[in-house]
Amino acid sequence: MKVSLNLLNQYVKVDDIEANELAKLITAAGFEVEGIEQLAYGTNLVVGFIHECCMHPDSDHLHICQVEVKPGEILQIVCGAPNVASGQKVIVALPGCELTEGFKIKKSVIRGVESNGMICSLSELGIDQRYQSEEQKAGIEILDESAPIGQEALSYLGLKDTILDIGLTPNRADCMSIRAFAYEVAAILNREVHFPQNRFNSELKSDLTVETRTDKCSYFSVQLVKGVKTKQSPQWLKSILMASGIKPINNIVDISNYVMLEFAQPIHMYDYNKLESKEFVVDTGYNLSTILLDGQEYQIESEDIIVGVNDKVACVAGVMGSNSTKIDDNSIDIVVEVAGFNGTSLRKTTRRLNLLTDASSRYIKGANDIAKSQAVLERTISLLVELADASEIYSPVSTQLNVEQKIVSLRENRVNELLGTAISVDDIKEIFNRLKFDYQYNNGKFEVKVPTHRKDITLEADLVEEVARLYGYDHIPSKLPIMTTTAGIRNQQQKRERMIKDKLSELGLHEVVTYTLVSPTLATMYNYFHNNEVVSLMSPLGEERSTTRQSIVPSLLETIHYNQSHSNKDVNIFEIAKTYSNQKEVKNLAIACSGVYSCNKWQKEIKEIDFYVVKGFVENIFKQIGIEESRYQLVRIENDSKLLHPGRSAYIIMNKEIVGYIGQIHPIVQKQFDINPTYVAELNLSVLLQLKTKKIKFENIAQYPSVSRDIALVVDVNINAYDIERTIKRSSQKMVKNVTVFDVYQGEHVQEGKKSLAFNLIFQDEKKTLSEKEVNDCLSRILSALEKDYNAILRA
Amino acid sequence: MSKELLQIKDEAIAAIENCHDLKLLNDIRVLYLGKKGPIQEAMKQMKSLSPENRAAFGQISNEVKQAITLALEDKKVKLDEIALQEQIKKETIDITLPSYHLDFGTKHPLTLIVEEMEDLFLGMGYEVAEGPEVELDHFNFELLNLPKDHPARDMQDTFYVDENTVMRTHTSPVQARTMLERKGQGPIKIICPGKAYRKDDDDATHSHQFMQCEGLVIDENINMADLKGTLEVFANKMFGEGRQVRFRPSYFPFTEPSVEVDISCYNCGGKGCSLCKHTGWIEILGAGMVNPRVLEMCGFDSNKYQGFAFGIGLERVAMLKYGIDDIRHFYNDDLRFLNQFNRKDL
């Protein structure tokens, strides 16, 4: 909101305070001043009179003007504006004048002719072009004939004004009314407010009638004014409007904007002579299309509030008037409307019609104060008389105005209880006085009559806030809470999640954070934990961010693509994030690795990422959170998988449920994402973090020596090493404590379709030293079991 | 004969002295102390001596043997030492060659901020609470005093999933959920870090997805001074000792009174610099006393309980703390960005 200090100063004295200082005080009371600007710039600007104007001999567009800049003092000025002419009053920048952007006016010689200043356009003074008419934009500013020669031009034109740009919080929309804002400033500065009084008691009765048939209109009032003349507004009004961010149009439009500026109450005007009937009826239930005053056709639906005459749309209430009843330059007799319309309803209407006007936004935000309707009408009428020559004023016609007097109570001790302060009752009283709140104080309790425009105050806490912001938040002391001690601990899931992040980053992986919202295609890709019912947004920013993902892996593949196309070739990353389908939330952990895992080139140590590296990460995680190997198993994925390489990928199964997968990205997907070979794993942490695990319990360290034996077996290529390992352990009857694969070989000396697997076996007994014979017997038991189960042959 | 022995001793010791090789030293030992050596030879002749001379000769020959043995041992220690030195010399490496290590993994900078906050607040007895990101309108808005069509809803552009479901626009619904879980029974002390979403086009300062951390303390006597003190602890931990906290009045539907919270600029100490736009203060978060309506809707007696709440944008904290100038860095996940966060600031 732009606040003209010239306007504000009419109601509360602020011109003796530096704008910066004022801004600080206002900000400290809850109205954030986001910027301070000048309406116009320039020193040494005066009103001049052009006595003579002739063409420059060496130019087809320059004029040589003789300009009186001080009574009796004439300067020669060269001017290039097309609209310059003798007999005009103009704005002259004298030598030494500094305009915007360090542009300084000097005496000069233009094509051989001396020039002692510049005749200015509004733009040259820094006035935004959007406030100017086409003529103003095209040339110099021409002033009223009565402008006094030699007077300082900016002050004369009311353009010497400072504007505060204020960010209003939604609860203080009432301050869109400069009068309401003046109350605030007066309270902050502890000063008085003064408003112009306009009283009109007209006995003339018009033929207007009003009726409301919907509860979405709380009040409706119209007043007929005759003999109005449309013309330019006076300069002071134009300047105030420009400073307030409004483009001046003509006196009628400007008056309605000015009154809205003062009261935040939108007013609407109808051309009396265009009304088919003089009976105004406010109602909903219309279903038709109509042309509004912007010339566009709009579809009206039954929820819209309509001001109708003769069952026709005279105005879409609070939004925009109908084209058929609009004021034009020839309008003489005007009906002024002041009303209260339901903001929620207008919100829907403006959204549907895409017509958020200045008027409708005030209703929607609840900025207007219907209790002031009478004052609004009176102010409008008085301005129409003063500035638009209105001659016949009829008495207003209104529905019943019901204004409820709101009383909110405040227990005096609540102030200090909530704020932690030691504010006295007298302090509170003084603050309420400054705010012009009427109150009764009895037995430690205030009963506050809240001014009608303060719709934000309904609770005791709201009054505490009023006290706090005027008392000053800087005066609130600082301490730590004194309360029951609570145990600040993470729960099991939170601890485990943190351990996983610690572990994976220690293992050299980088944690990333990617977007939850993805395209519908990516949302369901690599979905192994959800059903296929995605969560989609009703109106997304774009298809790319329209659906919540069910797997993190596609986002990680995109991250790998981003990095690999920015010359980060080796990308080893992970992310923990929540994923969604309809009715289900899962916390996923995804790992994606591409390129080299670790290397020391000069030592020829280069470990490329492969299935086993990622499998190691997964095992590390399981171990870290205490899930033993026996509780899960890897199962090869389907042969026809299109997402994972069928030969190099596995599900992680626990209790017959897929809790994760490890594998290589299918070459087709790899190509699609334009990345190098990539291995991924994804785990369902919602399941894993909640699992119960064994507590650590000490076991005796074996006291008797162990025996190590190596065996090499020839088996079919499709036999899993893990299965052999399990058979070795099982058939050894607990004598084998540890089995390690130390060689896998296929090729020369091994039959086609077979492979050689070499294992190291550690034999040990807890109660005695094993004899050679015992070990040999056990080994033959193992070998015969292996032969039986897997047709495994001991390699020579 | 004794004279001969003594001569042999001198000879042997001279030979040992001049020997610089372990193998030759062994040869010397064999030569002098071996079975065919001169001492053994001399001993053989001992039988021919008179008993008196025999004893004297025996003593001398023992002495000679001992002296040679000692000299040999001495020399061996020296030569071993020399050999070791040589071996060590040969084994010397270039200690400046690159080391072997795993790549330095990193946690995301937003995680670093979350963990730092969690550790701080856990230490003060807070718990960490979480809630869903696809959230019911009821928790995200209504229980926070933002009924449908409340004008303040326009403050937040919301991603709606359907009429009653949204992508949560802040972490505040976790407040409401926690209060309802506690069934009107205080105290509550929680922080709730997590993701939130708003319908903003992504640019240098806006992100449709972002992280917040909510704090909520409810008990019988919690007031704004407690809020100020708590945030001072936070500011000092996060941005260094000596930070001051300033409240400015503001508006949030779920708190009353509501404040914007500034911290004194850690860059200039409050004197004014480009970071704080020459104000000496940096806006960091929003806070306030829990609105009594929110307490009541969430099952707490607002005459018995009161409390404070605050909400911090974690990207903003990270951007200020680490001097990051574009919010998109957090979500591009460029390794050259991530690699810079390879440790926790203490």
Side-chain angles (χ1 to χ4, degrees):
Chain A
M1 179 182 71
K2 290 185 185 300
V3 173
S4 150
L5 288 188
N6 282 354
L7 179 57
L8 183 63
N9 195 56
Q10 291 177 19
Y11 309 134
V12 55
K13 186 170 174 59
V14 292
D15 59 4
D16 56 343
I17 304 171
E18 193 69 34
N20 276 321
E21 205 43 48
L22 184 65
K24 270 187 198 163
L25 294 170
I26 292 173
T27 299
F31 300 90
E32 191 177 358
V33 178
E34 292 166 343
I36 303 175
E37 52 191 294
Q38 301 300 320
L39 176 59
Y41 296 90
T43 54
N44 247 355
L45 293 165
V46 295
V47 175
F49 177 70
I50 304 176
H51 282 276
E52 258 183 68
C53 176
C54 58
M55 289 304 288
H56 189 295
D58 284 338
S59 165
D60 58 357
H61 71 281
L62 294 176
H63 302 80
I64 303 169
C65 307
Q66 304 303 323
V67 189
E68 187 175 355
V69 295
K70 214 190 267 180
E73 184 181 333
I74 293 190
L75 289 179
Q76 175 171 289
I77 296 172
V78 176
C79 176
N83 61 337
V84 66
S86 66
Q88 287 171 339
K89 289 275 178 69
V90 292
I91 304 166
V92 178
L94 295 174
C97 161
E98 196 161 335
L99 292 170
T100 43
E101 292 151 24
F103 176 41
K104 212 165 180 176
I105 304 298
K106 287 178 287 203
K107 276 191 189 180
S108 61
V109 176
I110 299 170
R111 296 200 194 169
V113 176
E114 192 182 288
S115 181
N116 297 298
M118 184 169 94
I119 301 174
C120 299
S121 68
L122 284 186
S123 300
E124 281 156 342
L125 305 182
I127 303 274
D128 200 308
Q129 293 221 338
R130 70 200 147 111
Y131 301 137
Q132 301 179 31
S133 65
E134 289 309 312
E135 299 84 68
Q136 285 172 316
K137 282 187 235 174
I140 54 163
E141 179 69 358
I142 296 154
L143 308 182
D144 202 76
E145 283 170 19
S146 61
I149 293 167
Q151 187 157 340
E152 204 285 303
L154 289 186
S155 310
Y156 171 71
L157 294 168
L159 294 174
K160 203 176 193 69
D161 196 357
T162 303
I163 301 158
L164 300 186
D165 199 354
I166 292 175
L168 285 181
T169 53
N171 60 326
R172 293 310 307 273
D174 61 298
C175 283
M176 292 175 93
S177 151
I178 199 74
R179 289 185 175 222
F181 187 66
Y183 273 114
E184 284 300 326
V185 175
I188 293 163
L189 301 176
N190 200 6
R191 291 183 176 182
E192 288 305 315
V193 283
H194 312 279
F195 296 120
Q197 295 296 320
N198 307 286
R199 285 266 158 232
F200 276 92
N201 284 318
S202 177
E203 298 300 315
L204 283 173
K205 293 267 181 278
S206 69
D207 56 351
L208 302 175
T209 64
V210 294
E211 185 189 350
T212 56
R213 294 180 186 162
T214 167
D215 58 3
K216 291 175 177 175
C217 174
S218 59
Y219 177 70
F220 191 81
S221 175
V222 288
Q223 186 163 6
L224 174 61
V225 181
K226 287 190 173 177
V228 162
K229 205 190 273 168
T230 307
K231 55 187 173 185
Q232 289 263 309
S233 292
Q235 183 62 43
W236 67 262
L237 179 53
K238 288 187 196 171
S239 298
I240 292 282
L241 289 175
M242 287 193 286
S244 309
I246 299 168
K247 179 178 178 174
I249 309 287
N250 61 40
N251 57 346
I252 307 298
V253 178
D254 294 352
I255 287 169
S256 76
N257 280 331
Y258 184 60
V259 173
M260 185 163 73
L261 208 58
E262 286 188 311
F263 290 93
Q265 170 64 50
I267 52 180
H268 186 68
M269 295 182 186
Y270 303 87
D271 186 328
Y272 176 73
N273 298 315
K274 289 181 184 169
L275 293 171
E276 279 187 28
S277 148
K278 314 303 176 193
E279 293 164 10
F280 287 91
V281 178
V282 186
D283 203 355
T284 55
Y286 283 76
N287 219 323
L288 46 84
S289 77
T290 190
I291 297 170
L292 299 185
L293 51 76
D294 62 357
Q296 303 289 315
E297 187 166 343
Y298 292 92
Q299 187 62 41
I300 303 305
E301 289 182 8
S302 62
E303 62 177 12
D304 303 330
I305 314 169
I306 298 298
V307 178
V309 285
N310 245 358
D311 290 335
K312 288 192 179 138
V313 177
C315 183
V316 179
V319 181
M320 195 177 265
S322 155
N323 199 45
S324 62
T325 62
K326 77 170 177 189
I327 305 281
D328 58 40
D329 289 354
N330 302 318
S331 299
I332 300 165
D333 304 334
I334 287 175
V335 176
V336 181
E337 167 208 290
V338 171
F341 298 116
N342 178 290
T344 308
S345 172
L346 289 197
R347 192 172 188 234
K348 283 186 190 145
T349 300
T350 54
R351 286 210 169 170
R352 201 189 71 247
L353 300 179
N354 197 16
L355 261 183
L356 187 67
T357 55
D358 284 343
S360 59
S361 79
R362 279 162 177 77
Y363 283 118
I364 291 167
K365 290 173 177 165
N368 61 321
D369 176 13
I370 203 65
K372 300 216 169 62
S373 296
Q374 191 59 35
V376 172
L377 264 182
E378 285 171 351
R379 177 67 171 152
T380 312
I381 304 303
S382 80
L383 286 168
L384 285 170
V385 170
E386 186 188 334
L387 306 177
D389 310 338
S391 51
E392 272 177 55
I393 314 298
Y394 292 77
S395 58
V397 183
S398 311
T399 62
Q400 180 72 34
L401 176 62
N402 297 313
V403 179
E404 203 187 325
Q405 177 55 63
K406 205 168 33 173
I407 294 176
V408 179
S409 50
L410 171 68
R411 292 162 284 174
E412 63 168 85
N413 56 337
R414 285 302 283 164
V415 171
N416 293 324
E417 276 172 16
L418 273 175
L419 301 179
T421 46
I423 300 175
S424 70
V425 173
D426 286 344
D427 289 337
I428 298 173
K429 286 180 179 170
E430 195 228 320
I431 287 168
F432 286 163
N433 289 337
R434 279 160 65 184
L435 286 165
K436 305 281 179 286
F437 286 4
D438 274 346
Y439 61 85
Q440 301 266 319
Y441 175 71
N442 286 311
N443 303 325
K445 196 171 174 184
F446 287 89
E447 299 284 346
V448 179
K449 273 190 193 168
V450 179
T452 49
H453 66 275
R454 294 301 304 273
K455 294 177 191 168
D456 60 309
I457 296 177
T458 56
L459 300 175
E460 190 175 44
D462 298 322
L463 289 174
V464 173
E465 182 173 61
E466 291 303 297
V467 173
R469 71 187 179 90
L470 287 172
Y471 173 73
Y473 281 103
D474 287 347
H475 297 121
I476 290 178
S478 156
K479 70 181 191 67
L480 285 174
I482 296 165
M483 61 190 288
T484 313
T485 304
T486 44
I489 45 170
R490 292 188 172 81
N491 63 27
Q492 172 179 298
Q493 282 101 302
Q494 290 161 352
K495 281 182 194 161
R496 284 182 173 172
E497 185 176 333
R498 188 151 184 188
M499 287 196 293
I500 290 171
K501 285 186 180 182
D502 285 339
K503 174 57 78 181
L504 290 177
S505 55
E506 279 159 19
L507 287 169
L509 274 68
H510 299 279
E511 188 196 8
V512 299
V513 179
T514 56
Y515 294 134
T516 304
L517 293 167
V518 298
S519 70
T521 323
L522 293 192
T524 51
M525 221 177 170
Y526 292 96
N527 170 26
Y528 294 99
F529 308 143
H530 291 276
N531 61 28
N532 275 326
E533 288 171 20
V534 293
V535 175
S536 312
L537 303 184
M538 279 163 71
S539 53
L541 286 169
E543 211 211 34
E544 287 292 284
R545 307 268 169 253
S546 64
T547 316
T548 64
R549 60 186 172 182
Q550 298 182 322
S551 159
I552 308 173
V553 164
S555 307
L556 295 191
L557 299 182
E558 287 186 324
T559 304
I560 289 178
H561 168 78
Y562 174 89
N563 274 287
Q564 289 183 338
S565 55
H566 286 79
S567 55
N568 303 320
K569 232 170 87 253
D570 306 318
V571 190
N572 303 309
I573 52 178
F574 75 97
E575 178 170 5
I576 294 178
K578 288 174 177 172
T579 59
Y580 291 89
S581 52
N582 208 356
Q583 311 294 332
K584 190 179 177 191
E585 175 188 276
V586 177
K587 191 172 263 183
N588 293 29
L589 159 67
I591 297 171
C593 299
S594 183
V596 170
Y597 172 51
S598 69
C599 82
N600 199 21
K601 281 186 184 153
W602 70 271
Q603 288 183 310
K604 313 282 178 294
E605 300 264 11
I606 294 169
K607 182 63 201 163
E608 293 269 355
I609 287 289
D610 60 18
F611 179 87
Y612 303 102
V613 173
V614 178
K615 183 181 170 186
F617 296 148
V618 171
E619 285 173 352
N620 255 296
I621 291 166
F622 278 84
K623 195 153 201 164
Q624 184 75 55
I625 58 180
I627 301 170
E628 300 105 328
E629 264 175 68
S630 58
R631 291 180 69 178
Y632 63 93
Q633 70 194 108
L634 296 191
V635 175
R636 198 178 285 282
I637 62 154
E638 300 87 359
N639 275 329
D640 58 354
S641 168
K642 298 277 184 294
L643 296 170
L644 294 166
H645 188 307
R648 295 182 171 178
S649 306
Y651 291 127
I652 305 164
I653 308 284
M654 279 181 100
N655 304 323
K656 295 181 181 157
E657 190 190 345
I658 296 178
V659 296
Y661 59 91
I662 309 170
Q664 183 178 351
I665 292 295
H666 197 288
I668 293 170
V669 179
Q670 181 196 321
K671 204 168 163 190
Q672 190 186 322
F673 279 87
D674 187 21
I675 52 179
N676 298 335
T678 297
Y679 289 84
V680 298
E682 191 161 32
L683 300 176
N684 182 334
L685 291 189
S686 296
V687 173
L688 297 179
L689 298 183
Q690 284 187 26
L691 285 179
K692 285 205 170 70
T693 51
K694 278 190 195 157
K695 297 262 178 280
I696 293 175
K697 193 163 182 302
F698 171 72
E699 282 174 26
N700 270 322
I701 296 163
Q703 292 184 7
Y704 298 93
S706 61
V707 177
S708 164
R709 289 287 171 87
D710 291 345
I711 55 171
L713 302 165
V714 175
V715 292
D716 283 349
V717 282
N718 57 6
I719 301 288
N720 290 330
Y722 178 70
D723 294 331
I724 293 185
E725 205 179 302
R726 288 215 307 185
T727 299
I728 292 173
K729 281 193 175 164
R730 179 176 44 78
S731 58
S732 81
Q733 290 159 349
K734 292 189 177 169
M735 205 183 281
V736 171
K737 294 288 177 243
N738 199 7
V739 182
T740 316
V741 181
F742 69 88
D743 189 44
V744 181
Y745 177 76
Q746 252 177 290
E748 218 181 331
H749 308 305
V750 175
Q751 205 185 321
E752 179 91 13
K754 301 268 183 186
K755 64 181 172 186
S756 160
L757 288 173
F759 295 89
N760 173 259
L761 279 50
I762 302 292
F763 296 81
Q764 195 168 38
D765 193 302
E766 280 140 35
K767 297 195 179 75
K768 61 177 190 292
T769 303
L770 287 171
S771 71
E772 182 80 13
K773 185 170 180 302
E774 281 168 318
V775 172
N776 288 341
D777 288 352
C778 180
L779 193 56
S780 12
R781 234 175 21 242
I782 291 169
L783 290 172
S784 58
L786 288 172
E787 189 172 1
K788 186 165 155 269
D789 289 3
Y790 303 110
N791 205 14
I793 297 155
L794 193 63
R795 200 175 164 202
Chain B
M1 251 173 65
S2 306
K3 209 172 169 188
E4 267 171 43
L5 269 181
L6 288 173
Q7 200 179 330
I8 288 167
K9 184 185 99 180
D10 290 346
E11 250 179 62
I13 284 177
I16 290 166
E17 202 64 29
N18 291 324
C19 178
H20 299 292
D21 184 294
L22 277 167
K23 195 172 164 296
L24 290 178
L25 190 70
N26 194 45
D27 290 347
I28 293 170
R29 189 182 59 79
V30 173
L31 182 66
Y32 289 97
L33 300 182
K35 281 184 179 145
K36 289 174 183 162
I39 298 169
Q40 287 298 328
E41 280 300 316
M43 299 285 267
K44 280 178 195 161
Q45 294 170 25
M46 233 167 56
K47 293 172 207 157
S48 60
L49 294 176
S50 64
E52 311 87 71
N53 285 345
R54 205 187 287 169
F57 182 78
Q59 199 187 337
I60 290 170
S61 69
N62 271 337
E63 277 171 16
V64 167
K65 239 157 95 178
Q66 252 174 28
I68 295 173
T69 306
L70 258 178
L72 278 167
E73 274 169 11
D74 246 28
K75 189 67 183 187
K76 185 163 185 303
V77 169
K78 278 182 191 150
L79 288 180
D80 275 344
E81 172 67 21
I82 289 165
L84 183 62
Q85 287 307 329
E86 262 168 26
Q87 185 194 338
I88 284 170
K89 211 170 179 181
K90 269 189 223 152
E91 285 172 358
T92 299
I93 58 164
D94 178 354
I95 55 161
T96 66
L97 279 168
S99 65
Y100 177 77
H101 62 80
L102 289 184
D103 194 8
F104 250 90
T106 53
K107 286 193 197 172
H108 195 275
L110 293 173
T111 298
L112 294 183
I113 300 288
V114 169
E115 290 186 351
E116 201 170 336
M117 285 191 66
E118 284 182 358
D119 291 346
L120 172 69
F121 283 98
L122 285 168
M124 295 195 283
Y126 288 66
E127 290 168 70
V128 179
E130 285 178 71
E133 293 162 25
V134 177
E135 182 60 283
L136 292 174
D137 187 282
H138 183 64
F139 292 108
N140 193 73
F141 289 127
E142 284 168 37
L143 287 180
L144 298 172
N145 198 25
L146 274 150
K148 288 216 160 82
D149 296 313
H150 190 288
R153 281 203 184 193
D154 291 338
M155 286 165 97
Q156 305 176 349
D157 236 329
T158 310
F159 284 123
Y160 277 90
V161 171
D162 58 43
E163 225 168 87
N164 299 313
T165 317
V166 299
M167 298 303 290
R168 68 176 178 194
T169 56
H170 44 194
T171 45
S172 312
V174 186
Q175 282 184 25
R177 285 177 172 273
T178 309
M179 282 192 261
L180 285 171
E181 267 168 32
R182 301 291 168 91
K183 300 195 187 316
Q185 193 59 51
I188 295 179
K189 261 177 127 173
I190 53 166
I191 57 163
C192 337
K195 292 182 181 131
Y197 305 84
R198 285 188 200 170
K199 209 170 163 184
D200 269 329
D201 283 314
D202 296 335
D203 61 28
T205 53
H206 296 86
S207 183
H208 76 276
Q209 174 180 322
F210 56 97
M211 288 195 77
Q212 270 195 343
C213 185
E214 197 80 5
L216 173 72
V217 175
I218 290 177
D219 203 355
E220 291 176 17
N221 300 307
I222 300 299
N223 58 43
M224 280 202 110
D226 297 323
L227 172 63
K228 207 175 207 179
T230 301
L231 293 175
E232 261 168 18
V233 170
F234 163 75
N236 281 294
K237 172 73 179 78
M238 205 53 93
F239 298 103
E241 291 298 315
R243 299 281 67 76
Q244 286 173 310
V245 163
R246 177 175 83 169
F247 284 171
R248 275 184 295 115
S250 187
Y251 170 73
F252 306 108
F254 31 95
T255 49
E256 187 74 27
S258 301
V259 289
E260 291 280 355
V261 180
D262 299 335
I263 58 163
S264 57
C265 181
Y266 52 87
N267 191 41
C268 62
K271 283 187 228 108
C273 66
S274 61
L275 183 71
C276 59
K277 295 180 192 135
H278 303 282
T279 62
W281 296 94
I282 296 174
E283 187 176 327
I284 194 90
L285 59 96
M289 300 301 293
V290 180
N291 190 309
R293 273 206 194 100
V294 173
L295 285 171
E296 294 289 342
M297 281 189 284
C298 296
F300 275 74
D301 178 354
S302 67
N303 280 312
K304 182 178 177 197
Y305 285 107
Q306 56 194 48
F308 66 70
F310 58 85
I312 306 173
L314 297 184
E315 280 85 356
R316 172 142 179 87
V317 173
M319 287 169 92
L320 286 169
K321 193 176 163 79
Y322 300 122
I324 298 165
D325 59 354
D326 190 326
I327 199 168
R328 287 169 294 199
H329 281 307
F330 293 110
Y331 298 97
N332 278 342
D333 295 302
D334 191 310
L335 289 180
R336 292 164 296 183
F337 171 76
L338 299 174
N339 266 320
Q340 299 180 35
F341 305 96
N342 53 16
R343 64 178 186 278
K344 233 173 227 182
D345 276 342
L346 297 175

